[in-house]
């Protein structure tokens, strides 16, 4: 009863006022702390995220960070930072050939977590295997990275993985509190300043590779400033559209055309002038039951551009958010408007039981059950996935384990399988697993349970939409399994002419006892991988005039006992699916010769210790000597340490000892605090080029950079 009564009197404005007081209090404490810290240089900082100074322009471990003042934005100082080239997203958005959002209700997800820039700020990867990630991209159309800094620039890791799944990414421009009002006084002082700052924002989005902005003016304004605010939003929209086709500028339901900070919770005459000059409105999340219908009526033919907010934390949001998020989604679906889910990291931040992965799948499963999954995977062939979630406990390359370190790097996330909620009644449980062996990256799909003879089990893992031409299509997938467990792929096709359906099974063993369940069975060619236990399966499919619509995994029994020698009971089943590649038979992974690259080392810094060992910092950059059409989105970086012989020449017998340093999504990599033993004469950094179909260049044929170790 008491919480309900409090809910009547505690509105968002009250909470903001309280937050303003707390913020001032914290600022006072921080000021006192800073004074103590300055007088005691050995004291530790409160947290890395509390650092208010902009990152140094001097070389350091690359990070993502926001722009906090209009002065920084106007001066373009961001582009002078050492970190800037590392912050450029490298993956173009895969959207099936269309740059526009589909004409249907859409799902926007606004990521707001503890101020942002946490594990995801480490561009080259962090060490936390339990870092937050999203892997239900097939439900999402737009992703917004949000923080309370003036200009929130999405870390490239989010842009890369969202684009890989066909999802647009927006940054946030926000003005809050007294400093926000001061910024608005400058921003909106003239039509020219409004245009200039809009152009600065558009330049950042275009150069860093993301798709637009959420504009949140959360301050009271003078009515006389509104014309220039209109100019700012309009010019930003026009400039974004011309510089980034398919880009979006969204208005947040905050300040009205009268200049008042007064959340409307709907689209109406007080905020529609902003809606009319941009690509949509993010409606504040305290709306009432009939507001979606009223907003749709006001928007008319643009009703899908109305994104009704839902706060997952449940702060006065319709339906209460949290595990009742479907209440709001059901109503929005009924009114056929779009939804904006705010702070889905609630599952992670509040440590929902029993664990993050299970709770995350359950929560998003609830979203899918209510909202539906209207999106297939985008883009043309080749299709490649290694089921990596962008975090884990080891890293593999073509079945070879190259690192046992814990890690996180959302940029590495592969196309994610569309696994529905776990049904405990199933004889075989299916899950993305980060701890079992992986073929590539740090993940796999694990199939574990029991399976009787002459019975097969199938599970849909991808909803796709690949129209096949006259050229046959090459399927490659890797499996690691117990001795009597086999795994194949079921392919669902639909004829583009008459809508006929066909199903095809790719299998490595005879399946006579259930082959009649499929239109056709194709036996794959098996070859052992370089690493023990992994088997590479290859099959060729010719289905001209058909569209591949679904991919299922099929678990069945095999009569052979030659997989890995594991002894299992007759009914036990265990198999790992390591990767899937689909490409036309004429597709070739064409890698430039090593001599085609220019590789250089800069920002070299040596530090010596009394025992003769050294520590190295160096930025390694590479580019092709001549312009061409090659598209490489990923590079593995290795190190070889060459020791001295008695005569002073480097020993070449250590060439096989290749140390994996990490992965680069751009054409540069920063090596920091590298320990160099005293007997090392030369460091050889190898840049292994990775193709979009998952194939990699041989290390011996890859470009490299050699650095002589500095003498005493």
């Amino acid at each position: 009863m008491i919480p309900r009564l409090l809910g009547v009197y505690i509105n968002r404005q009250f909470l903001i006022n309280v937050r303003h007081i707390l913020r001032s209090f914290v600022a006072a404490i921080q000021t006192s702390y800073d004074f103590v810290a300055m007088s005691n240089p050995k004291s530790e900082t409160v947290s890395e995220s509390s650092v208010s100074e902009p990152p140094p322009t001097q070389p350091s471990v690359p990070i993502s960070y926001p722009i906090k003042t209009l002065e920084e934005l106007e001066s373009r100082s961001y582009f002078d930072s050492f970190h800037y080239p590392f912050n450029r997203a490298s993956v173009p958005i895969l959207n099936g050939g269309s740059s526009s959002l589909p004409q249907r209700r859409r799902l926007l997800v606004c990521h707001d977590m503890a101020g942002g820039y946490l594990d995801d700020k480490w561009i080259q990867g962090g060490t936390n295997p339990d870092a937050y990630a999203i892997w239900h991209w097939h439900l999402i159309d737009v992703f917004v990275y949000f923080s309370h800094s003036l200009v929130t620039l999405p870390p490239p890791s989010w842009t890369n993985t969202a684009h890989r799944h066909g999802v647009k990414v927006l940054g946030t421009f926000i003005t809050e509190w007294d400093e926000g009002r001061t910024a608005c006084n400058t921003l909106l002082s003239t039509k020219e300043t409004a245009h200039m700052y809009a152009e600065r924002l558009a330049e950042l989005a275009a150069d860093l590779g993301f798709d637009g902005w959420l504009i949140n003016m959360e301050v009271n304004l003078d009515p006389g400033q509104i014309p220039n605010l209109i100019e700012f939003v309009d010019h930003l929209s026009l400039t974004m559209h011309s510089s980034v086709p398919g880009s979006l500028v969204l208005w947040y339901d905050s300040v009205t055309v009268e200049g008042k900070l007064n959340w409307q919770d709907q689209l109406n005459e007080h905020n529609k002038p902003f809606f009319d000059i941009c690509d949509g409105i993010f409606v504040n999340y305290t709306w009432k039951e009939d507001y979606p219908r009223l907003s749709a009526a006001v928007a008319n033919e643009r009703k899908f551009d109305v994104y009704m907010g839902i706060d997952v934390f449940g702060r006065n949001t319709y339906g209460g958010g949290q595990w009742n998020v479907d209440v709001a989604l059901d109503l929005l679906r009924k009114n056929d408007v779009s939804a904006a889910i705010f702070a889905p990291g609630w599952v992670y931040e509040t440590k929902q039981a029993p664990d993050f992965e299970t709770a995350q799948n359950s929560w998003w499963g609830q979203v899918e059950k209510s909202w539906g999954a209207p999106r297939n995977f985008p883009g043309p062939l080749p299709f490649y996935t290694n089921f990596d979630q962008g975090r884990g406990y080891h890293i593999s390359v073509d079945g070879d384990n190259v690192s046992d370190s814990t890690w996180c790097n959302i940029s590495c996330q592969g196309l994610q399988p569309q696994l529905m909620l776990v049904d405990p009644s199933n004889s075989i449980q299916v899950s993305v697993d980060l701890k079992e062996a992986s073929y590539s990256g740090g993940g796999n799909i694990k199939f574990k349970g029991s399976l009787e003879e002459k019975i097969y089990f199938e599970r849909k893992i991808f909803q796709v939409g690949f129209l096949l031409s006259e050229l046959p299509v090459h399927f490659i997938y890797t499996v690691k399994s117990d001795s009597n467990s086999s795994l194949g792929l079921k392919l669902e096709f639909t004829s583009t002419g008459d809508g006929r359906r066909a199903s095809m099974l790719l299998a490595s063993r005879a399946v006579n006892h259930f082959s009649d369940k499929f239109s056709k069975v194709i036996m794959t060619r098996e070859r052992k991988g370089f690493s023990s236990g992994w088997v590479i399966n290859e099959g060729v499919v010719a289905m001209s005039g058909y569209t591949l619509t679904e991919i299922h995994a099929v678990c069945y029994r095999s009569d052979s006992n030659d997989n890995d020698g594991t002894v299992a009971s007759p009914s036990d089943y265990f198999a790992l699916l390591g990767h899937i590649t689909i490409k036309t038979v004429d597709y070739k992974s064409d890698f430039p010769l090593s001599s085609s690259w220019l590789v250089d080392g800069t920002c070299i810094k040596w530090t010596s210790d009394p025992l003769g060992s050294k520590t190295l910092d160096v930025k390694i950059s590479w580019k092709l000597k001549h312009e061409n059409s090659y598209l490489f989105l990923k590079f593995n970086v290795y190190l070889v340490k060459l020791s001295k012989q008695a005569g002073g020449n480097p020993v070449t017998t250590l060439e096989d000892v290749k140390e994996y340093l990490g992965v680069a999504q751009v054409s540069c990599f920063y090596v920091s605090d590298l320990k160099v033993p005293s007997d090392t004469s030369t460091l050889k950094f190898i840049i292994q080029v990775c193709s979009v179909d998952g194939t990699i260049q041989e290390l011996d044929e890859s470009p490299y950079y050699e650095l002589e170790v500095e003498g005493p």
Side-chain angles (χ1 to χ4, degrees), residues 493-536:
F493 298 93
T494 300
S495 170
T496 55
D498 53 17
R500 285 181 300 157
R501 299 180 63 83
S503 63
M504 184 177 297
L505 177 66
L506 299 178
S508 59
R509 299 287 187 273
V511 291
N512 297 327
H513 49 286
F514 61 88
S515 60
D516 59 340
K517 304 294 184 181
F518 306 92
S519 306
K520 188 175 182 180
V521 176
I522 294 181
M523 302 304 295
T524 60
R525 180 171 67 91
E526 282 191 345
R527 55 187 176 91
K528 300 294 184 182
F530 294 112
S531 181
S532 174
W534 285 105
V535 177
I536 302 170

Side-chain angles (χ1 to χ4, degrees), residues 598-624:
L598 293 173
V599 189
D600 191 23
T602 56
C603 307
I604 300 171
K605 178 183 176 182
W606 293 98
T607 305
S608 300
D609 66 21
L611 299 179
S613 295
K614 292 181 172 61
T615 302
L616 170 68
D617 298 339
V618 59
K619 177 186 175 184
I620 304 168
S621 305
W622 53 91
K623 65 178 182 179
L624 286 164

Side-chain angles (χ1 to χ4, degrees), residues 245-513:
S247 58
L248 303 174
V249 173
L250 301 183
W251 176 259
Y252 187 76
D253 165 31
S254 50
V255 71
T256 67
V257 288
E258 295 84 17
K260 298 177 181 177
L261 179 56
N262 188 2
W263 300 271
Q264 301 298 296
D265 299 329
Q266 61 183 305
L267 178 65
N268 59 23
E269 70 275 12
H270 299 293
N271 52 32
K272 188 172 183 292
F274 301 110
F275 173 78
D276 290 340
I277 57 175
C278 68
D279 300 292
I281 184 170
F282 185 144
V283 174
N284 186 48
Y285 47 74
T286 54
W287 45 269
K288 307 301 181 184
E289 184 171 359
D290 59 340
Y291 287 9
R293 176 182 58 81
L294 296 173
S295 299
V298 173
N300 200 358
E301 72 274 6
R302 288 189 62 199
K303 65 180 181 179
F304 299 134
D305 295 335
V306 176
Y307 300 84
M308 304 296 295
I310 304 170
D311 178 26
V312 182
F313 277 83
R315 294 161 286 203
N316 292 325
T317 202
Y318 184 84
Q322 302 185 12
W323 290 104
N324 296 316
V325 68
D326 56 316
V327 175
L329 289 173
D330 288 345
L331 182 65
L332 299 182
R333 188 185 70 242
K334 176 183 176 183
N335 287 278
D336 206 23
V337 294
S338 296
I341 292 178
F342 185 77
W346 169 83
V347 175
Y348 183 88
E349 291 187 74
T350 58
K351 296 180 172 57
Q352 293 296 298
D355 56 71
F356 171 54
E357 289 79 6
T358 305
Q360 171 98 318
N361 287 330
S362 297
W363 190 87
W364 281 101
Q366 196 170 12
V367 171
E368 180 167 359
K369 185 177 180 180
S370 170
W371 194 249
R375 247 181 5 97
N376 295 334
F377 275 112
L381 297 177
F383 171 94
Y384 169 76
T385 180
N386 60 0
F387 315 114
D388 199 320
Q389 281 190 353
R391 60 206 184 99
Y393 300 85
H394 61 267
I395 295 176
S396 297
V397 176
D398 276 2
D400 181 26
N401 189 58
V402 296
S403 173
D404 284 320
S405 299
T406 59
W407 65 280
C408 59
N409 187 343
I410 304 172
S411 270
C412 295
Q413 193 176 92
L415 286 173
Q416 292 299 295
Q418 295 151 286
L419 301 177
M420 295 293 288
L421 287 176
V422 173
D423 184 350
S425 66
N426 285 341
S427 62
I428 292 179
Q429 296 300 306
V430 184
S431 63
V432 171
D433 183 89
L434 307 181
K435 294 187 176 179
E436 295 283 355
S438 57
Y439 182 77
S440 174
N444 60 68
I445 302 184
K446 180 171 68 175
F447 303 82
K448 185 176 183 180
S450 61
L451 189 66
E452 301 298 330
E453 294 290 342
K454 300 185 179 181
I455 300 293
Y456 74 95
F457 171 88
E458 68 174 87
R459 179 77 176 273
K460 184 173 78 171
I461 54 177
F462 287 108
Q463 183 91 22
V464 295
F466 299 126
L467 176 62
L468 305 189
S469 64
E470 294 180 359
L471 287 175
V473 176
H474 193 191
F475 285 80
I476 309 169
Y477 61 98
T478 46
V479 175
K480 186 173 185 179
S481 64
D482 285 343
S483 58
N484 61 345
S485 302
S486 290
L487 187 68
L489 296 181
K490 173 189 172 184
L491 312 174
E492 291 278 358
F493 298 93
T494 300
S495 170
T496 55
D498 53 17
R500 285 181 300 157
R501 299 180 63 83
S503 63
M504 184 177 297
L505 177 66
L506 299 178
S508 59
R509 299 287 187 273
V511 291
N512 297 327
H513 49 286

Side-chain angles (χ1 to χ4, degrees), residues 23-33:
R23 183 174 162 130
S24 300
F25 178 68
V26 170
I29 294 176
Q30 182 65 47
T31 300
S32 301
Y33 173 83

Side-chain angles (χ1 to χ4, degrees), residues 62 82 84-87 124 619-622 635 637 663-670 687:
F82 174 80
Y84 155 65
F86 297 91
N87 273 280
Q124 294 181 170
K619 177 186 175 184
I620 304 168
S621 305
W622 53 91
F635 305 88
V637 182
V663 61
Q665 309 290 333
V666 290
S667 297
C668 53
F669 188 83
Y670 187 66
I687 314 302

